Amino acid sequence: MNQALTQTGSHIQVLIPICLIAASVIVVLIGRRSSKWRDTLVMVAVALSACLSVIIFLKVFSSASGHIEYFLGYGWHGARYLKTGQPIGIVLRTDIFGAIMLLLITGLGLLAAVYSIPYVHHEITDARHTHYYTLFMLMLAGMTGIVMTGDIFNFYVFFEIASLSSYALVSITGKAESLEATFKYLLVGALSSIFIVFGIGLLFNATGTLNMQYASRQVTRIMTSGPDSYIYPFRYLIFASLALLVMGFSIKAALFPGHAWLADAHPVAPSSISALLSGLVIKATGIYPLVRFLFGVFVIQEGHYGSLLRPLFLTVSIVTMFGGSFFAIAQTKLKRMLAFSTIAQVGYIMFGIALITEMGIAASILHIINHAIVKGMLFLVSGIIIYQTGITDIADMGKLSYKMPITMLCFTVGACSMVGVPPLSGFMSKWVLANAAFKAGLPFLIVFLLLSSLLNAVYYFRVVAISYFGDPRIDIKKKEKPPAMMQVPVMILAILVVLIGILIKFPYHQTAMPAAARIFEIHR
Amino acid sequence: MIGFLRILLSRIDYVVTVILFCIGFYALVVKSNLIKKIIGMNIVETSVYLFLIASADIRLGAATKFWAHPNEVLNAAEAAHAAAGELAMVNPIPSALILTAIVVSVSVTAISLSLAVKIYENYGTLDTRKIMRLKG
């Protein structure tokens, strides 16, 4: 083991995607023989990656620089990079934000995998179970790669792994409506990835590098050069690249002009996949790279170009917030309502990013954590409801809470958190967002946050009210008990929601704040 | 005007990619047939790839070598340039990137075509307007 290697990183970083990808291939081979061994292998692989990501998280936190680096095929280029700062090969670079996302992805992925084992028998035909697990792990592998990499093209490859497997997963039930929704998702997704590859190409032409950290240094050099310098015209390439990348990622994150696909694609997927799509995929392929590129590569800061982008992003975020909420109120199906609610919540996350302040980013990160857990839980709950009773309409849920008390209690906790009832995690992240808007000198924007929370309350409390006090419209036939493997992940997530709200010091002050600080420091 | 035309002609490859992009984007957005949409998507992708490859090209540029060796055998064009003191090298990285992107676009096309087949089996049509009506 080389001296420099032990200082900068460890093989664990690269092991996480490798372990998931390898397992996804082996699953295909085993799946035909024995479904029991296949399920075991999936569990072991996902649990292993979750353990490894905990180690990464601790390593990142204990490192003095706030990030760890690993040079793929360590050798001459790693040594050269450390000496001259000019990278050639691929580098994995995980900072605190990446580590948080990694922990969320593998953690929620593990719970969803546990949940899947009884649930897939309900939604998917037997022949497709193996495909389901393969794609499931490929999607997780892609997302873990996205949040760990420090190389722009390596990012693109992982981005496509995650996107392609999510297209296939949405249509895995093979129902007619899911095919149509997937086609829409796929065309929009393909368009966004064209924008992204175009943006990456222009960025490479302007900076001559694909390493994010080095590219950010070059961008700063170009942006600060005088008009008579030969690198001055390159700034137009950088503007074009910025516009293309923002467009591409905001489609993937379901921000306002490109949001329409989400409401079709997320509800038709099996519930365990909806939970991952809403909780993780839009963040790992949309929000996370947006933050990474805006602040880590293009070095947008307060004032200067930041003051041009801020009104644009704020408008987009507020329109997304309200648009999602208004459409959610009109929905009759539970899962479709949850999908529109996801659009509204992405608006909140974008709101924090749009402020372009450290506190705004920290609030966004907190809301990412919060939304991943809560929306994951709500979709899993809707899956349990479908599994036990087959209900998909909100109006049919009358008195359901008396038939399945624990499940609906979890739903109520999640709904309260989404609306922002004080001790829960949703209140904390909205509070911090409002604080950030206040600190950024835009206190009137808090009105929008409050109004939007009111709209959230309208559609979430309607479901809760119907399930407790509504008249039963249909005769609910229910299977006796939900399997523990479905109930326990939901309960774990519900407990997490409460814990994050109460122990806010760890997720916000000790995790999100330093993560936001590091994002602004990447070019140093 | 003449100057503008000259600039356009000197960057004819970029002009072609812009035209291709517009054709593809038109097909992707306006056409209601799913297969035509997929073709449009492919044309857009191709135009972007062409643009990036064209941006890396240098007229009469040499293949890239990481280390220029003094005893390296040059071909005629390279030798002429080397004699003039300007051995330009083509940037290899965009080509490598586009190779990866092509693989991705092939997979996307494969998935979308298989979806189109499945949609045809379910709805009996590939027209998006009819599918919307059938869906209700």
Side-chain angles (χ1 to χ4, degrees):
Chain A
M1 178 105 28
N2 198 303
Q3 184 63 36
L5 180 63
T6 48
Q7 278 173 0
T8 52
S10 70
H11 296 293
I12 297 172
Q13 257 175 304
V14 78
L15 267 179
I16 294 176
I18 284 181
C19 137
L20 286 167
I21 290 176
S24 72
V25 176
I26 300 170
V27 154
V28 181
L29 302 176
I30 296 182
R32 267 179 225 164
R33 307 274 162 73
S34 142
S35 63
K36 206 171 149 197
W37 280 104
R38 178 195 63 201
D39 293 354
T40 319
L41 178 68
V42 173
M43 292 288 61
V44 168
V46 181
L48 185 64
S49 69
C51 294
L52 291 179
S53 63
V54 170
I55 296 174
I56 295 271
F57 189 76
L58 295 175
K59 257 183 180 280
V60 171
F61 257 73
S62 58
S63 72
S65 54
H67 66 262
I68 52 174
E69 280 173 330
Y70 177 79
F71 301 96
L72 277 176
Y74 182 85
W76 58 277
H77 84 253
R80 188 172 178 277
Y81 176 45
L82 290 177
K83 206 163 29 176
T84 63
Q86 285 187 344
I88 294 171
I90 291 173
V91 55
L92 296 183
R93 191 175 195 279
T94 314
D95 66 352
I96 302 180
F97 186 26
I100 294 170
M101 291 295 296
L102 190 65
L103 209 56
L104 276 179
I105 289 165
T106 48
L108 194 57
L110 179 61
L111 293 179
V114 173
Y115 182 95
S116 298
I117 287 173
Y119 184 73
V120 283
H121 296 282
H122 185 74
E123 286 242 355
I124 308 169
T125 49
D126 283 354
R128 287 193 177 161
H129 288 177
T130 308
H131 303 177
Y132 171 88
Y133 288 119
T134 306
L135 292 165
F136 182 91
M137 282 192 288
L138 274 179
M139 190 167 81
L140 285 185
M143 288 192 290
T144 54
I146 288 172
V147 297
M148 279 195 295
T149 190
D151 182 274
I152 297 172
F153 207 75
N154 192 233
F155 155 78
Y156 174 72
V157 172
F158 279 124
F159 175 89
E160 286 298 341
I161 292 175
S163 308
L164 279 170
S165 38
S166 69
Y167 303 146
L169 276 173
V170 169
S171 65
I172 197 144
T173 53
K175 289 175 195 148
E177 68 204 15
S178 77
L179 297 172
E180 201 262 341
T182 310
F183 199 84
K184 200 187 250 178
Y185 181 23
L186 195 144
L187 282 187
V188 175
L191 197 63
S192 88
S193 61
I194 292 166
F195 284 143
I196 288 163
V197 80
F198 203 170
I200 289 174
L202 292 184
L203 184 66
F204 174 77
N205 279 347
T207 61
T209 179
L210 286 170
N211 181 292
M212 287 185 192
Q213 199 189 3
Y214 194 57
S216 77
R217 231 177 282 161
Q218 297 284 55
V219 168
T220 323
R221 237 183 88 212
I222 292 165
M223 285 306 182
T224 51
S225 64
D228 48 349
S229 160
Y230 79 101
I231 49 173
Y232 183 80
F234 287 176
R235 65 177 56 202
Y236 302 114
L237 278 181
I238 290 183
F239 292 146
S241 157
L242 174 65
L244 285 165
L245 286 172
V246 166
M247 230 163 18
F249 293 135
S250 58
I251 289 174
K252 274 285 174 185
L255 285 168
F256 159 59
H259 64 282
W261 59 269
L262 187 146
D264 288 329
H266 285 194
V268 295
S271 293
S272 48
I273 296 305
S274 308
L276 288 189
L277 288 173
S278 264
L280 300 174
V281 174
I282 54 165
K283 295 180 190 85
T285 62
I287 299 285
Y288 175 86
L290 191 64
V291 173
R292 182 56 80 223
F293 274 87
L294 278 181
F295 306 111
V297 176
F298 292 108
V299 206
I300 305 288
Q301 275 161 342
E302 222 177 332
H304 206 40
Y305 294 107
S307 56
L308 287 174
L309 286 174
R310 191 196 255 177
L312 174 73
F313 285 165
L314 278 176
T315 319
V316 165
S317 76
I318 288 169
V319 172
T320 313
M321 220 186 274
F322 279 89
S325 292
F326 275 123
F327 280 108
I329 290 171
Q331 299 309 313
T332 54
K333 304 261 188 208
L334 179 63
K335 280 179 81 174
R336 211 170 151 78
M337 187 205 88
L338 291 176
F340 273 111
S341 156
T342 297
I343 297 177
Q345 300 299 320
V346 167
Y348 279 101
I349 295 170
M350 193 60 202
F351 184 87
I353 295 166
L355 293 173
I356 315 193
T357 60
E358 211 172 289
M359 201 176 169
I361 310 273
S364 281
I365 294 173
L366 187 62
H367 204 71
I368 287 174
I369 300 170
N370 166 33
H371 180 248
I373 293 172
V374 176
K375 193 50 66 71
M377 181 182 81
L378 290 178
F379 268 117
L380 294 185
V381 165
S382 75
I384 295 183
I385 294 173
I386 291 171
Y387 182 89
Q388 276 198 286
T389 63
I391 290 176
T392 55
D393 267 19
I394 295 169
D396 291 342
M397 287 171 66
K399 294 275 193 303
L400 192 66
S401 297
Y402 300 100
K403 300 225 163 102
M404 23 203 316
I406 299 172
T407 311
M408 287 315 290
L409 184 68
C410 292
F411 186 92
T412 312
V413 170
C416 290
S417 173
M418 276 286 159
V419 174
V421 175
L424 298 171
S425 62
F427 169 75
M428 291 300 170
S429 55
K430 283 180 186 176
W431 175 257
V432 176
L433 264 180
N435 261 339
F438 196 78
K439 284 264 171 64
L442 302 161
F444 61 95
L445 289 174
I446 296 172
V447 177
F448 290 110
L449 290 180
L450 285 175
L451 279 178
S452 167
S453 284
L454 206 64
L455 291 177
N456 288 355
V458 170
Y459 56 86
Y460 272 116
F461 285 155
R462 180 178 55 142
V463 179
V464 174
I466 287 176
S467 73
Y468 277 99
F469 312 115
D471 291 324
R473 204 172 68 163
I474 55 165
D475 197 21
I476 300 172
K477 290 184 199 66
K478 139 173 189 295
K479 292 181 193 162
E480 265 315 299
K481 260 173 85 90
M485 285 174 109
M486 288 169 77
Q487 196 106 54
V488 170
V490 171
M491 277 149 70
I492 291 173
L493 289 172
I495 291 166
L496 269 180
V497 171
V498 179
L499 280 185
I500 286 179
I502 296 170
L503 310 171
I504 188 65
K505 205 167 167 52
F506 177 70
Y508 182 63
H509 293 97
Q510 289 172 4
T511 309
M513 286 287 272
R518 294 294 174 202
I519 288 166
F520 277 105
E521 273 174 13
I522 190 171
H523 56 292
R524 274 174 220 156
Chain B
M1 188 62 200
I2 299 290
F4 179 69
L5 274 180
R6 184 173 290 162
I7 289 174
L8 265 190
L9 275 178
S10 71
R11 288 161 179 73
I12 189 75
D13 36 5
Y14 295 165
V15 177
V16 169
T17 57
V18 169
I19 295 169
L20 270 180
F21 189 94
C22 294
I23 294 172
F25 200 77
Y26 171 82
L28 182 61
V29 174
V30 176
K31 293 288 176 188
S32 61
N33 189 311
L34 294 184
I35 302 291
K36 284 183 183 166
K37 274 183 190 289
I38 295 170
I39 293 173
M41 186 180 82
N42 272 292
I43 295 175
V44 170
E45 279 168 351
T46 310
S47 77
V48 170
Y49 301 160
L50 266 179
F51 180 90
L52 293 178
I53 290 176
S55 72
D57 183 50
I58 295 172
R59 191 70 52 90
L60 293 180
T64 314
K65 296 154 191 111
F66 221 92
W67 292 281
H69 198 269
N71 299 332
E72 197 85 55
V73 181
L74 303 175
N75 65 30
E78 286 173 12
H81 278 271
E86 42 178 33
L87 180 55
M89 290 188 190
V90 173
N91 190 346
I93 294 181
S95 310
L97 302 189
I98 297 312
L99 202 61
T100 317
I102 286 172
V103 173
V104 168
S105 86
V106 167
S107 342
V108 170
T109 311
I111 295 187
S112 50
L113 284 174
S114 60
L115 272 174
V117 170
K118 280 282 173 192
I119 287 175
Y120 189 78
E121 279 174 9
N122 272 287
Y123 291 101
T125 174
L126 283 173
D127 194 324
T128 42
R129 286 167 298 184
K130 282 183 191 158
I131 291 171
M132 290 300 261
R133 218 177 302 141
L134 285 173
K135 219 175 65 164

